[in-house]
């Protein structure tokens, strides 16, 4: 899945599964009743709109260790994870 720019992907009240998440800015939100399960790593890239990537709601790491690679842009925070994260662990990589 590739959220980009000001796009917002909403999964409210649904259960969705994705391989890797690749961000060029953008926003993924499961809402209070949804769940996004990822089976791959998360990567953020700097984008021309200088927007941070955001993950809100509920994020399931599918029982594995996932690497969150964050490319260093001009923002104080290039990736913000406000989601409840369960079923696994994460490693932060990048600047």
């Amino acid at each position: 899945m590739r959220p980009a720019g000001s796009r917002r992907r909403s999964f409210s009240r649904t259960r969705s599964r994705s391989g890797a998440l690749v961000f060029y800015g953008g926003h993924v939100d499961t809402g209070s009743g949804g769940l996004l399960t990822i089976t791959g790593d998360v990567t953020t890239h700097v984008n021309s709109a200088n927007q941070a990537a955001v993950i809100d709601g509920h994020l399931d790491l599918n029982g594995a260790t996932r690497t969150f690679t964050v490319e260093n842009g001009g923002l104080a925070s290039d990736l913000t994870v406000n989601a409840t994260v369960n079923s696994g662990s994460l490693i932060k990589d990048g600047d």
Side-chain angles (χ1 to χ4, degrees):
M1 177 185 316
R2 293 176 179 251
S6 61
R7 290 188 184 163
R8 181 179 181 133
R9 303 272 173 123
S10 180
F11 300 97
S12 183
R13 287 182 252 143
T14 64
R15 293 184 180 272
S16 296
R17 182 176 291 261
S18 176
L21 286 178
V22 179
F23 284 93
Y24 294 87
H27 187 179
V28 172
D29 185 0
T30 68
S32 60
L35 176 69
L36 176 62
T37 301
I38 59 172
T39 60
D41 295 328
V42 175
T43 304
T44 68
H45 296 284
V46 174
N47 61 84
S48 60
N50 205 29
Q51 293 177 327
V54 179
I55 303 173
D56 285 329
H58 302 281
L59 180 65
D60 187 314
L61 302 179
N62 203 37
T65 300
R66 305 289 176 210
T67 301
F68 284 52
T69 303
V70 181
E71 190 173 272
N72 189 18
L75 302 171
S77 178
D78 295 299
L79 171 64
T80 300
V81 179
N82 297 317
T84 301
V85 180
N86 33 329
S87 187
S89 60
L90 64 92
I91 298 169
K92 195 266 185 181
D93 189 23
D95 296 330

